[in-house]
Amino acid sequence: MNQFKGKTAIVTGGASGMGEFLCRKLAAAGANVIVADIAFEKAGEIAREIRAAGGHATASALDVTDKGAVYALVEKTAQENGRLDYMFNNAGILVVGEIRDMTPGQWDRLLEVNVMGVLHGTLAAYSVMLRQGFGHIVNTASMAGLIYQPVTAAYVMSKQAAVGLSLSLRTEAAGLGVKVSVVCPGYVDTSLYTNCQSVKADVQDVLGMLPVRACRADKAADKILSGAIKNKALIVFPLHARILWWAYRFFPIGMLKIMEGMVWLFRRKARTSEAHDSCIKDM
Ligand code: NAI
């Protein structure tokens, strides 16, 4: 982790889950971290804890959908520190439900945060990093950025956009001194699932359909940082995600059947809970 000593890093969505552990671990490795999040109070607490432990951290209230605010934070950070070494575009949200049940507003918000938020952070950091001739942009997508899955279509769409943007930029940026990686985790135990919007769905039911155990958020942050040190194009973890990705590429028909089976199971569970809810109302 010596690579991070004396470096400056912005982490969006740094107040929770993987972003929080990225901030703590970067600071423990000697980096100066900007904990940027829409949840400013929580970001402030984390920055204070890092400083109390002898690290360098500042909290910043940031909504990644606010393009002007993202550019301003990136420029200010680079000016105040004389450099911006790492930009972790990690903030993201999830909506669970079938496409037929989602409102246009739900699509808009998810795409604003997960696609435009990542784009603003990427472009703002890229212009600073081009100017200075170095830097590393690390965008968090998801396993959903590499394979499709039902009942989270907006999320899948947003994460595939993040993968496409990151890998395309990587090829353009390589000769200009800027590195780009994209993170594709499988299931990680974070607040993403408690904070998510469920549309005619129970997120616990959906998680219950996954035949895998969640990875811990601190372990996920380790994987992200070691992938960044190795300048990996795609940082895919944990093992279940690697297996799933492999199966998707080599057994596409089998994967289609599994996904269709998940839709069937999802609808059956949704019907059961509707019946259960109406039973309770009738009592
Ligand atoms: P989390 O919910 O613990 O953290 C997400 C953070 O993003 C929160 O602190 C939240 O306040 C912040 N955020 C949300 N909207 C924002 C906005 N408009 N502007 C600034 N900050 C905002 O969730 P987690 O899991 O740590 O998520 C981090 C990233 O990892 C997300 O992009 C997520 O999609 C991705 N991911 C998560 C997986 C999981 O299983 N937990 C799997 C694959 C990817």
Side-chain angles (χ1 to χ4, degrees):
M1 293 281 182
N2 265 347
Q3 172 150 343
F4 299 112
K5 198 170 169 53
K7 302 291 165 66
T8 296
I10 297 175
V11 181
T12 71
S16 172
M18 287 185 261
E20 175 180 344
F21 281 104
L22 282 174
C23 291
R24 293 187 188 281
K25 285 172 188 282
L26 283 164
N32 173 27
V33 184
I34 288 70
V35 187
D37 206 293
I38 201 165
F40 179 58
E41 271 187 32
K42 183 83 198 302
E45 264 171 45
I46 290 162
R48 272 193 301 279
E49 283 173 21
I50 290 174
R51 288 196 299 271
H56 299 281
T58 319
S60 177
L62 180 74
D63 180 345
V64 293
T65 67
D66 182 344
K67 183 177 168 184
V70 175
Y71 276 75
L73 175 67
V74 167
E75 284 292 341
K76 179 171 161 266
T77 304
Q79 264 172 25
E80 284 178 0
N81 297 280
R83 58 196 292 148
L84 174 64
D85 299 279
Y86 290 95
M87 180 76 191
F88 290 88
N89 290 303
N90 162 81
I93 57 171
L94 169 69
V95 177
V96 176
E98 287 195 45
I99 295 174
R100 61 180 175 173
D101 295 322
M102 284 180 63
T103 63
Q106 285 164 334
W107 281 89
D108 288 350
R109 182 62 188 166
L110 189 137
L111 297 177
E112 275 291 318
V113 176
N114 291 10
V115 178
M116 298 313 290
V118 170
L119 181 65
H120 300 328
T122 299
L123 295 184
Y126 191 44
S127 76
V128 165
M129 290 173 181
L130 280 179
R131 216 161 56 216
Q132 62 190 18
F134 62 86
H136 197 156
I137 298 167
V138 183
N139 291 336
T140 300
S142 163
M143 193 26 48
L146 298 175
I147 68 175
Y148 62 91
Q149 62 193 35
V151 299
T152 49
Y155 188 75
V156 169
M157 179 177 164
S158 73
K159 295 302 184 177
Q160 301 215 348
V163 170
L165 168 71
S166 309
L167 294 182
S168 303
L169 179 61
R170 182 177 169 96
T171 60
E172 292 183 21
L176 304 172
V178 181
K179 298 172 188 166
V180 183
S181 301
V182 59
V183 183
C184 296
Y187 177 22
V188 183
D189 186 15
T190 69
S191 315
L192 187 77
Y193 302 101
T194 37
N195 293 339
C196 81
Q197 254 190 305
S198 305
V199 190
K200 292 196 185 173
D202 181 335
V203 73
Q204 290 312 323
D205 280 350
V206 175
L207 292 176
M209 293 187 325
L210 303 178
V212 294
R213 266 214 333 238
C215 169
R216 280 190 355 230
D218 61 323
K219 291 234 165 183
D222 285 336
K223 291 279 183 197
I224 296 169
L225 294 178
S226 68
I229 289 171
K230 291 178 195 142
N231 187 24
K232 283 191 172 179
L234 279 165
I235 303 172
V236 182
F237 64 89
L239 184 64
H240 71 244
R242 302 185 72 83
I243 293 172
L244 203 66
W245 188 34
W246 179 86
Y248 170 68
R249 281 175 292 162
F250 294 103
F251 301 102
I253 302 295
M255 192 55 84
L256 175 68
K257 295 289 164 210
I258 291 173
M259 297 299 183
E260 286 175 351
M262 281 177 74
V263 177
W264 179 83
L265 205 60
F266 172 80
R267 287 183 179 156
R268 205 179 67 152
K269 278 181 184 285
R271 262 207 315 274
T272 314
S273 33
E274 262 175 37
H276 176 72
D277 287 352
S278 66
C279 257
I280 291 175
K281 271 187 219 134
D282 292 346
M283 278 164 68

